């Protein structure tokens, strides 16, 4: 009864305010975009022919070298840069794009994976009567609808629960979420709704029950960010843009305008990072879309120019999928320090984040233990006491740098708006800065509009509203069934291919290898517990992947889902890429080393070593120590004080179990802290102590030794696959 009264009271309280916002929404003059009509309109408006086949990277480099002058040259291959290239080329402008690393290698692949308007920004807009902030939310919600329409294989609506633990919060949050629906207007994905306590726990059984009043569920979008970025880049390339990754801009080229006598930017000097070859690329207009590196490119133009961006680091962690329902996210609107935390299902795992703190600009941001523990503590506050939130369940962690636009009146980065700004220097360099992933298309449109006006380019209006991205045209929710039926792929693999490549999934299936099994007929997995197959590596090279890091982080998302699985897949990935790209043995070794370094520092693998080191404290009771010593000495029959592969093999043979020697080597190496080829008693006790404290989980050696002890006189199958445990 109290719950119903609160909801009814909420409706009365919010009625007048909602009417006010409705009027404001009409006044904003943002036109409604009916997706089906807009798609037809965009398809008919684009007169630029689209290529059936993607040009090779070598062909793209040749086009950059031999084209006399481009109309537009974009620096930066993130979402905004690729959006600018797509917007320009579909207007009929001769377009080039240069990215010094890989497409989406920076911030665009390290997001929260949401396509959203920003609930907290709407709150600020209402509380501070900030019309600019409101317009940003309105624009983002319209762009959200467009993005879900143009790439349905890579994106989908996601219900997000906002749990309520105080009665007075129910009308407050309900009012705010209803405003969010109202501002979205006809682009509202689905109407938000209120849940009672019992219904909330049915939807999200892991939720903390104590003092729970109820919950509010609203809808936003979710996507595969790196693949979305890549789809934009590949679509631009197929429309004729000369796009190249691993093409670094060394300096801007300038010429003197005979009419004004002023220097004007007329192109760039760039270097093919893969070959070392340098060449000039001339263009009427150069666009700086480099995200956190915006100011470094602006200083190529003018060393004295003041900075306009303030970088902010956001850390995310990935945990096993059992931490959240398959199709329900969670929003913590008020963490202990005022930040917002999302807890979301993604790719059958669970993402938690993000933090928000000032940082220095770097190409290789590293997640810190402090940020990881902050997120874990916030997660603990919302989950049931029955769910033990373990540090060892962190499967991956990353940090992304947001290029926020500085507000001179702001004291911290949390209050800085993500609104974008377009600036044009005296020499004609066009810079797009700020903004957010969801609004990349609108940002690109504003940028190209400004470029056309500033450089007197001959082009019409933007054609990208409703313009479908690569893979979307013939995609349908049931496409994966055809992949299963026509090619004999596992259902899970087929669903993955369909949701990653869209209608291009058939091209991947065609090159999938025969397994030699009754089922599946084709599709050899790279690692057992993920649906990525070897054919994707071959196809990834066609999608401009040139390093092992490209493959594990952006063509597949293994590095973002489980760093240990990514490391396990590396040798096979490098072997396949080596055949496709003619790598010698030295190049393969370099790639393996670079990829492991990436996993170790940028994807959170380092924290595994930090959790279990040779100086780790052993916090075990006397009875536990004796129990684990007994287990250890079962393997160390000679009382050497350490065990080797031979010791483990001897015990396994006694119970008629065989495990490949290289697998045993990997298992022991996970625990061999001083890397001397053996596991000492102290190392084993440190491992068991770390497992008890939740700092380490899923240790294959611990599982193997326990199973062997329990079944020493029985014939059993001992599992040696990695469990759901993490770092």
């Amino acid at each position: 009864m109290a719950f119903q009264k609160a909801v009814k009271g909420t409706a009365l309280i919010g009625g007048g305010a909602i009417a006010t916002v409705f009027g404001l929404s009409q006044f904003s003059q943002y036109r409604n975009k009916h997706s089906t009509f807009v798609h037809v309109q965009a398809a008919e408006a684009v007169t630029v022919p689209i290529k059936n086949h993607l040009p090779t990277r070598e062909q793209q480099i040749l086009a950059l070298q031999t084209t006399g002058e481009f109309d537009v040259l974009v620096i930066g291959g993130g979402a905004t840069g690729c959006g600018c290239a797509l917007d320009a080329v579909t207007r009929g402008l001769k377009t080039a794009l240069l990215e010094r690393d890989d497409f989406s290698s920076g911030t665009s692949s390290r997001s929260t994976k949401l396509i959203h308007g920003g609930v907290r920004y709407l709150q600020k807009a209402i509380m501070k009567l900030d019309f600019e902030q409101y317009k940003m939310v309105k624009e983002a919600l319209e762009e959200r609808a467009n993005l879900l329409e143009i790439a349905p294989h890579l994106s989908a609506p996601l219900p997000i629960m906002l749990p309520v633990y105080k009665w007075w919060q129910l009308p407050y949050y309900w009012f705010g979420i209803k405003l969010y629906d109202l501002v979205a207007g006809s682009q509202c994905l689905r109407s938000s709704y209120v849940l009672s306590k019992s219904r909330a726990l049915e939807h999200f059984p892991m939720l903390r029950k104590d003092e729970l009043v109820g919950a509010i569920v609203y809808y936003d979008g979710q996507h595969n960010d790196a693949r979305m970025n890549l789809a934009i880049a590949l679509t631009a390339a197929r429309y004729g843009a000369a796009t190249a990754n691993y093409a670094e801009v060394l300096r801007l080229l300038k010429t003197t305008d005979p009419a004004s006598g002023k220097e004007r930017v007329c192109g760039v000097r760039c270097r093919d990072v893969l070959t070392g070859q340098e060449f000039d690329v001339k263009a009427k207009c150069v666009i700086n879309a480099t995200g956190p590196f915006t100011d470094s490119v602006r200083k190529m133009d003018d060393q004295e120019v003041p900075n306009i961006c303030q970088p902010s680091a956001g850390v995310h962690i990935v945990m096993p999928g059992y931490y959240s329902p398959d199709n329900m996210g969670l929003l913590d609107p008020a963490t202990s320090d005022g930040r917002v935390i999302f807890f979301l299902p993604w790719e059958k795992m669970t993402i938690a984040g993000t933090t928000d703190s000032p940082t220095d600009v770097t190409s290789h941001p590293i997640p810190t233990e402090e940020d990881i523990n902050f997120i874990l503590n916030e997660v603990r506050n919302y989950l049931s006491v029955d769910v033990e939130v373990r540090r060892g369940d962190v499967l991956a962690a990353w940090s992304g740098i947001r290029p926020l636009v500085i507000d001179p009146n702001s004291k911290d980065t949390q209050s800085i708006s993500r609104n974008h700004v377009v600036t044009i220097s005296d020499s004609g360099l066009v810079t797009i800065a700020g903004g957010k992933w969801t609004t990349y298309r609108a940002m690109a449109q504003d940028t190209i509009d400004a470029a056309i006006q500033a450089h007197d380019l001959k082009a019409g209006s933007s054609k990208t509203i409703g313009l479908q991205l690569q893979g979307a045209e013939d995609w349908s929710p049931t496409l994966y069934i055809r992949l299963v039926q026509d090619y004999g792929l596992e259902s899970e693999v087929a669903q993955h291919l369909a949701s990653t490549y869209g209608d291009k999934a058939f091209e991947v299936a065609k090159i999938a290898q025969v397994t030699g099994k009754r089922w599946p007929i084709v599709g050899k997995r790279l690692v057992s517990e993920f649906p990525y197959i070897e054919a994707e590596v071959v196809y990834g090279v066609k999608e401009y992947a040139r390093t092992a890091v490209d493959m594990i982080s952006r063509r597949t998302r293994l590095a973002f889902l489980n760093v240990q699985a990514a490391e396990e897949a590396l040798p096979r990935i490098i072997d396949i890429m080596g055949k496709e790209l003619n790598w010698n043995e030295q190049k393969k070794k370099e790639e393996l080393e670079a990829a492991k370094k990436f996993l170790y520092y940028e994807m959170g693998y380092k924290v595994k070593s930090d959790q279990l080191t040779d100086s780790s404290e052993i916090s075990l009771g006397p009875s536990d120590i004796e129990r684990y010593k007994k287990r250890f000495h079962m393997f160390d029959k000679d009382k050497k004080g350490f065990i080797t592969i031979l010791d483990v093999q001897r015990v396994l043979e006694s119970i008629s179990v065989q495990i490949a020697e290289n697998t045993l080597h990997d298992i022991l190496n996970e625990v061999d802290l001083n890397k001397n080829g053996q596991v000492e008693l102290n190392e084993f006790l440190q491992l068991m102590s770390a497992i008890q404290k939740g700092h380490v989980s899923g240790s294959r050696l611990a599982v193997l030794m326990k199973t062997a002890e329990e079944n020493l006189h029985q014939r059993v199958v001992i599992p040696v696959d990695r469990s759901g445990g993490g770092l």
Side-chain angles (χ1 to χ4, degrees), residues 108 127 135 151 225 238 257 263 267 290 307 366 443 486 506 516 577 599 646 657 662 697 702 723:
S108 296
M127 299 296 287
K135 285 201 301 182
D225 53 2
R238 290 184 63 214
D257 186 346
E263 281 193 329
T290 53
N307 291 344
I366 298 172
M443 294 165 63
D486 294 352
F506 294 100
M577 292 188 75
L599 292 173
L646 292 175
V657 173
N662 60 339
S697 63
S723 74

Side-chain angles (χ1 to χ4, degrees), residues 80-300:
T80 304
C82 292
C84 287
L86 180 59
D87 190 285
V89 75
T90 51
R91 297 195 200 201
L93 295 170
K94 193 180 295 183
T95 305
L97 181 144
L98 302 173
E99 164 57 47
R100 72 176 177 183
D101 202 301
D102 185 28
F103 303 115
S104 194
S105 59
T107 306
S108 296
S109 64
R110 306 176 190 227
S111 72
T112 312
K113 323 302 180 194
L114 284 178
I115 309 170
H116 62 138
V119 173
R120 61 172 172 163
Y121 298 121
L122 181 60
Q123 179 190 33
K124 291 180 180 179
I126 301 300
M127 299 296 287
K128 299 179 181 180
L129 299 178
D130 186 339
F131 187 62
E132 288 302 312
Q133 194 95 282
Y134 166 79
K135 285 201 301 182
M136 185 193 73
V137 175
K138 177 68 174 175
E139 178 182 66
L141 289 171
E142 293 185 339
E143 292 300 324
R144 178 187 71 179
N146 182 67
L147 195 48
L148 290 167
E149 169 70 17
I150 64 176
H153 57 301
L154 291 169
S155 60
L158 176 71
I160 300 175
M161 179 182 291
L162 198 162
V164 179
Y165 287 92
K166 295 180 181 178
W167 282 107
W168 69 264
Q169 291 178 336
L170 191 64
Y172 176 76
Y173 288 139
W174 180 88
F175 170 57
I177 294 300
K178 279 302 174 186
L179 289 184
Y180 195 60
D181 289 351
L182 187 60
V183 172
S186 63
Q187 276 87 30
C188 180
L189 301 179
R190 293 176 191 173
S191 181
S192 59
Y193 55 90
V194 177
L195 290 174
S196 65
K197 176 179 179 177
S198 60
R199 291 286 290 162
L201 292 172
E202 283 179 26
H203 284 79
F204 210 118
M206 311 83 173
L207 206 58
R208 177 167 63 87
K209 305 176 182 65
D210 299 345
E211 300 179 2
L212 181 67
V213 172
I216 301 166
V217 177
Y218 72 100
Y219 286 80
D220 256 325
Q222 188 178 53
H223 68 155
N224 186 335
D225 53 2
R227 292 295 314 186
M228 185 74 79
N229 192 156
L230 185 64
I232 301 166
L234 298 181
T235 305
R238 290 184 63 214
Y239 272 110
T243 61
N245 55 352
Y246 296 103
E248 180 182 13
V249 172
L250 302 175
R251 64 178 181 273
L252 301 179
L253 303 178
K254 293 187 177 182
T255 186
T256 302
D257 186 346
S260 64
K262 292 182 178 180
E263 281 193 329
R264 303 286 290 177
V265 175
C266 63
V268 302
R269 179 72 173 177
C270 73
R271 179 174 69 92
D272 185 340
V273 175
L274 302 180
T275 65
Q277 184 182 13
E278 294 185 12
F279 53 92
D280 292 341
V281 181
K282 297 290 185 69
K284 296 173 185 175
C285 171
V286 175
I287 295 174
N288 171 18
T290 53
F293 301 94
T294 292
D295 289 319
S296 63
V297 175
R298 292 176 73 240
K299 289 182 187 297
M300 287 184 184

Side-chain angles (χ1 to χ4, degrees), residues 97 176 192 367 398 407 431 490 499 526:
L97 181 144
S192 59
W398 68 86
D407 177 356
T431 294
E490 291 177 81
S499 64
L526 289 168

Side-chain angles (χ1 to χ4, degrees), residues 320-356:
Y322 55 70
Y323 273 97
S324 64
D326 291 338
N327 193 37
M328 178 73 76
L330 185 76
L331 168 64
D332 178 357
T335 62
S336 56
D337 68 351
R339 293 183 285 198
V340 171
I341 289 285
F342 285 99
F343 194 61
L344 310 167
W346 183 69
E347 298 288 320
K348 298 188 178 180
M349 294 295 179
T350 302
I351 286 182
T354 178
T355 59
D356 193 359

Side-chain angles (χ1 to χ4, degrees), residues 24-50:
L24 185 62
S25 181
Q26 297 301 305
F27 175 72
S28 70
Q29 297 181 359
Y30 275 86
R31 58 195 175 92
N32 292 329
K33 301 164 190 164
H34 301 286
S35 58
T36 305
F37 169 73
V38 168
H39 167 56
V40 174
Q41 187 182 52
E44 292 178 349
V46 176
T47 57
V48 179
I50 188 167

Side-chain angles (χ1 to χ4, degrees), residues 350-651:
T350 302
I351 286 182
T354 178
T355 59
D356 193 359
S357 54
T359 186
D360 295 326
V361 175
T362 173
S363 299
H364 307 287
I366 298 172
T368 67
E369 186 65 22
E370 180 183 0
D371 283 330
I372 291 171
N373 282 322
F374 168 79
I375 296 171
L376 287 173
N377 286 333
E378 294 303 325
V379 169
R380 289 187 185 101
N381 291 337
Y382 273 86
L383 295 190
S384 168
V385 292
D386 298 332
V387 180
E388 183 184 359
V389 180
R390 304 181 299 181
R391 176 63 183 79
D393 281 340
V394 178
L395 303 171
W398 68 86
S399 176
I401 301 178
R402 303 187 192 93
L404 305 181
V405 181
I406 284 180
D407 177 356
N409 300 316
S410 171
K411 294 181 180 179
D412 55 52
T413 57
Q414 283 94 324
S415 62
I416 296 176
S417 170
R418 291 193 197 179
N419 257 330
H420 64 273
V421 295
V422 179
T423 63
I424 302 174
S425 71
D426 292 340
S427 62
L429 176 68
V430 179
T431 294
I432 170 67
K436 55 190 291 185
W437 222 120
T438 306
T439 59
Y440 85 91
R441 193 215 61 83
M443 294 165 63
Q445 177 179 324
D446 291 348
T447 304
I448 302 304
D449 284 345
I452 290 171
Q453 184 175 2
H455 293 271
D456 195 27
L457 303 175
K458 306 303 179 187
S461 59
S462 176
K463 309 292 193 301
T464 53
I465 296 175
L467 182 68
Q468 291 193 310
L469 301 182
Q470 171 155 310
E473 186 175 356
D474 294 322
W475 176 86
S476 73
T478 58
L479 182 145
Y480 79 94
I481 297 175
R482 289 174 54 198
L483 292 172
V484 174
Q485 294 175 336
D486 294 352
Y487 295 94
L489 287 161
E490 291 177 81
S491 181
E492 183 187 11
V493 170
Q495 290 179 54
H496 153 68
L497 295 181
S499 64
T500 301
Y501 304 95
D503 59 20
K504 301 299 179 186
F506 294 100
E507 296 182 13
V508 182
K510 286 175 184 176
I511 59 176
Q513 286 186 312
V514 175
T515 64
K517 301 176 182 178
R518 183 183 62 80
W519 189 264
I521 298 171
V522 301
K524 292 183 179 179
R525 294 195 182 210
L526 289 168
V527 284
S528 59
E529 70 267 47
F530 288 95
Y532 300 110
I533 59 174
E534 292 182 357
E536 293 181 77
V537 181
V538 177
Y539 194 76
V541 172
K542 297 179 181 180
E543 294 180 319
Y544 306 136
R546 288 298 179 270
T547 70
V549 172
D550 296 345
M551 202 64 70
I552 61 175
S553 59
R554 293 174 287 275
R555 300 311 180 277
T556 72
R557 306 311 306 275
L558 262 177
F560 283 80
L561 296 171
N562 189 316
V563 292
Q564 287 181 276
E567 184 186 43
E568 214 171 90
L570 275 175
R572 185 59 185 144
I573 287 173
I574 289 171
D575 186 47
I576 297 170
M577 292 188 75
K579 291 178 182 177
E580 295 296 313
L581 297 169
N582 299 315
W583 289 346
N584 57 30
E585 290 303 313
Q586 179 59 33
K587 175 63 175 175
K588 289 182 181 180
K589 289 179 182 178
E590 292 171 358
E591 283 295 320
L592 183 60
E593 184 178 341
K596 285 187 174 182
K597 184 178 179 181
F598 168 78
L599 292 173
Y600 186 77
Y601 289 106
E602 296 184 51
M603 299 310 300
Y605 214 156
K606 180 179 183 297
V607 295
K608 174 188 177 183
S609 300
D610 292 342
Q611 297 306 307
L612 185 62
T613 67
D614 53 13
S615 61
S616 295
E617 180 183 355
I618 298 175
S619 302
L620 296 170
S623 60
D624 286 332
I625 290 177
E626 285 304 313
R627 177 159 53 96
Y628 294 136
K629 278 184 177 181
K630 182 179 178 182
R631 184 176 301 169
F632 183 85
H633 288 139
M634 185 185 71
F635 286 79
D636 180 22
K637 287 287 187 183
D638 301 327
K639 301 293 189 293
K640 305 182 300 295
F642 61 85
I643 59 175
T644 64
I645 288 178
L646 292 175
D647 294 319
V648 178
Q649 285 177 327
R650 177 180 48 77
V651 174

